[in-house]
Amino acid sequence: MDFTFTEDQLAFREAISRFLMTEAPPEMLREIWDTDDGRSPELRGKMAEQGLTALSVPEAQGGLGMDDIAWSLLTQELGYYAIADSLADTAYVATGLLSALPEGTPRRDEMLSRIAEGNVRIAVGHSVNPLIADVHLADVVLLEHEGEVHGLRRDAIGFERNPSIDSSRRLSRVSFTPSADSLVLDAGQGRAVWAQTLNRGALAVAGQSLGLAQRMLDLSVDYAVQRKQFGKPIGSFQAVKHHLADVAGKIEFARPVLYRAAHALAHGEAGADLHVSHAKLACCEAAWLAGRHGIQVHGAMGYTWEVDLQMFMKRAWALDSSWGDRAFHKSRVANAILAPDAAIGPQYTFAE
């Protein structure tokens, strides 16, 4: 079995990385986040032109038809460059939800086509998230109610803005009244769709967290090379090396876990819940450690607004509990591996 990425997947990732490096530097993000909306329509339009919004939309609706494995690469880039929630929520999570709806569902194909074109924002509200990202700009809000899928325009719901420690996040607490007009899918079919949506949301956070961890490690290494004490770069001191090596190790152990979860989702494996929760825990732990050790390497300066590290550190903190906190995902892992019939062992990793 070949586990390597295709040339197209790697080329797409490299192209997106170069694009975001140019179009979304930290100084530009600071300016965007200082605005009331916290979003840039110009940047969103450029990302749509690059094909980001069309990535997983089916080809029949004008998309590229790529799967969760491709997103496991892309979300790392979104994390590395601290791109806000709305892109992944619309282009990946909402697209997956809409694609899972039965064919013929009203407005399904229309919404998928609009996502591919990049001219719609969709916010997704799952019961695991008390706060929903980017409702204030969403054209459509997809919400869960007792397993049902409801779709409403923003002006048909009530929402209260909630501040976040992460300047890139725009969170709201939503209230709405379910009705026959807003119902998209009943609870019988909706629960399975929401279970997939939860896994995609958690996988998106895992990928972004891994990208954040890598960015914080890179920033810390750069600082350790430039900052000198006693006439030597602090990176030459053994204690600093150990901190950075610990982070590098966490990242390298988390990355294959992320890819394993993406493979499970893409192929509809029965154990996808376990793999996604494992990835969420491993990647968020890597990001948490990268932030903690990054602060120790930078000293008190790492907390200040002028230093880039704090942007990525705060985002890692905020995303840690998004789409299920650690207790939730540890519980899913425990339920899977402690089950009487649990398939534990290397021979079960991939079915032949």
Side-chain angles (χ1 to χ4, degrees):
M1 187 178 291
D2 184 4
F3 297 110
T4 58
F5 292 102
T6 66
E7 291 184 5
D8 288 343
Q9 290 170 332
L10 295 174
F12 190 80
R13 176 183 183 173
E14 180 63 26
I16 295 306
S17 180
R18 290 197 303 267
F19 166 76
L20 294 176
M21 183 187 304
T22 303
E23 300 294 338
E27 55 271 18
M28 180 180 293
L29 293 180
R30 283 188 173 91
E31 293 178 4
I32 294 172
W33 298 346
D34 275 341
T35 64
D36 186 50
D37 286 340
R39 300 291 178 261
S40 168
E42 293 78 14
L43 179 59
R44 179 63 172 248
K46 290 179 180 178
M47 288 192 289
E49 291 174 2
Q50 294 293 317
L52 290 179
T53 56
L55 188 64
S56 59
V57 174
E59 294 181 8
Q61 284 78 42
L64 301 177
M66 299 179 80
D67 60 12
D68 306 278
I69 297 173
W71 274 101
S72 70
L73 291 173
L74 182 56
T75 50
Q76 291 180 64
E77 300 304 319
L78 298 182
Y80 193 87
Y81 294 101
I83 302 303
D85 305 85
S86 56
L87 178 67
D89 284 356
T90 297
Y92 180 45
V93 181
T95 296
L97 192 159
L98 291 169
S99 298
L101 298 177
E103 292 189 12
T105 301
R107 299 195 66 195
R108 171 186 179 271
D109 291 350
E110 175 197 347
M111 295 304 299
L112 286 171
S113 296
R114 291 185 63 190
I115 291 173
E117 295 166 1
N119 60 13
V120 66
R121 291 177 183 264
I122 301 178
V124 182
H126 190 284
S127 57
V128 77
N129 289 326
L131 301 173
I132 305 175
D134 284 10
V135 172
H136 66 299
L137 293 178
D139 301 291
V140 177
V141 185
L142 298 174
L143 297 166
E144 178 188 7
H145 176 70
E146 297 179 353
E148 299 172 342
V149 180
H150 289 264
L152 301 97
R153 294 172 56 88
R154 185 177 71 248
D155 55 12
I157 64 173
F159 63 94
E160 180 183 357
R161 301 280 288 270
N162 194 90
S164 171
I165 189 175
D166 173 15
S167 300
S168 74
R169 306 202 81 196
R170 295 296 188 272
L171 302 173
S172 299
R173 193 176 300 275
V174 169
S175 60
F176 77 107
T177 302
S179 68
D181 291 336
S182 66
L183 182 65
V184 176
L185 198 63
D186 62 38
Q189 296 174 292
R191 287 190 175 89
V193 172
W194 281 118
Q196 292 180 11
T197 301
L198 169 60
N199 280 338
R200 287 197 175 91
L203 190 71
V205 170
Q208 291 177 73
S209 297
L210 196 59
L212 287 163
Q214 186 65 59
R215 184 61 178 270
M216 288 186 283
L217 175 60
D218 291 347
L219 290 171
S220 299
V221 169
D222 288 345
Y223 184 82
V225 170
Q226 297 171 17
R227 180 77 168 92
K228 292 184 177 181
Q229 286 186 351
F230 310 111
K232 296 181 180 180
I234 63 172
S236 65
F237 301 147
Q238 192 172 40
V240 174
K241 290 179 181 179
H242 286 174
H243 280 320
L244 299 177
D246 287 346
V247 175
K250 283 285 187 182
I251 291 172
E252 291 307 311
F253 276 103
R255 186 169 284 120
V257 176
L258 173 69
Y259 297 153
R260 180 65 183 91
H263 182 278
L265 270 185
H267 292 84
E269 294 183 13
D273 290 0
L274 167 64
H275 295 300
V276 169
S277 288
H278 185 193
K280 175 76 160 51
L281 291 166
C283 294
C284 287
E285 177 63 27
W288 189 271
L289 188 69
R292 179 178 179 180
H293 284 356
I295 284 293
Q296 291 179 310
V297 171
H298 280 74
M301 287 183 60
Y303 285 104
T304 63
W305 180 254
E306 290 77 12
V307 176
D308 291 345
L309 179 71
Q310 56 84 24
M311 299 169 58
F312 305 96
M313 178 184 63
K314 291 175 182 175
R315 183 155 180 76
W317 289 348
L319 287 179
D320 190 71
S321 60
S322 183
W323 290 100
D325 59 16
R326 295 193 187 196
F328 174 85
H329 288 287
K330 284 181 178 179
S331 176
R332 291 214 304 181
V333 171
N335 291 338
I337 65 176
L338 298 179
D341 58 345
I344 302 297
Q347 68 271 30
Y348 297 106
T349 299
F350 287 95
E352 296 184 359

